[in-house]
Amino acid sequence: MNALAQEAAPLRWRRGWAVLGVLLMAATAAIALLPATRRLTAMALALPAGDKLLHMLAFAALMGWWGNLYHRPRPRLGVAAACLLFGLLIELAQWPHNPRDASVWDLAADALGLGLGALLLRTPLAGVLACIERVLGLQPERR
């Protein structure tokens, strides 16, 4: 376990953060699957590899979120595996729908995003949710 994980305070609102994480995943799935979200992604899709950039950013955010809840290496590995499975399920759900399509490259971008998120969790970003709790007065001040 790295020094940042040892410093992270336990979260008092752990269940609430987990519920928000599930809602974040639901929003990710909705953006990926619902036809009404095409406008949201149109600008990124106009960029070269913009779709892959969206995948990377979304999955880096998911890894960062869940990595703030789980600080030990083994649970984080489980989080990464669960998020990759989530990405695979999204790709499978997109398969029969035009103009969206399943792509192994999207899944690769998801995996790269998870790796980026894991790297960012080696920085003070690993304690963002604990910091928010402290700022909101939900955790005692550190000494």
Side-chain angles (χ1 to χ4, degrees), residues 16 22-23 37 42 47 52 54 81 85 94 136 143:
V22 169
L23 292 174
T37 61
L47 298 170
K52 305 308 174 255
L54 282 179
L85 176 61
Q94 286 180 337
L136 294 176
R143 294 181 186 183

Side-chain angles (χ1 to χ4, degrees), residues 8-19 68-69 71 127-141:
L11 297 170
R12 287 182 81 179
W13 280 23
R14 184 179 200 79
R15 285 193 180 120
W17 295 122
V19 167
N68 265 260
L69 291 172
H71 292 276
V128 167
L129 296 181
C131 181
I132 291 170
E133 285 189 356
R134 277 194 305 279
V135 167
L136 294 176
L138 303 172
Q139 280 190 359
E141 287 294 321

Side-chain angles (χ1 to χ4, degrees), residues 27-113:
T28 301
I31 290 169
L33 298 173
L34 295 177
T37 61
R38 284 193 201 126
R39 286 187 186 145
L40 292 174
T41 58
M43 188 182 312
L45 294 176
L47 298 170
D51 176 52
K52 305 308 174 255
L53 180 63
L54 282 179
H55 278 266
M56 284 181 58
L57 292 174
F59 280 78
L62 289 174
M63 186 67 201
W65 187 272
W66 292 107
N68 265 260
L69 291 172
Y70 300 99
H71 292 276
R72 296 188 183 275
R74 185 168 283 171
R76 277 191 180 166
L77 186 59
V79 162
C83 286
L84 194 57
L85 176 61
F86 174 65
L88 176 64
L89 292 174
I90 287 174
E91 292 307 310
L92 292 175
Q94 286 180 337
W95 198 345
H97 300 288
N98 249 345
R100 309 217 185 222
D101 61 339
S103 167
V104 70
W105 297 113
D106 287 347
L107 197 57
D110 296 347
L112 285 172

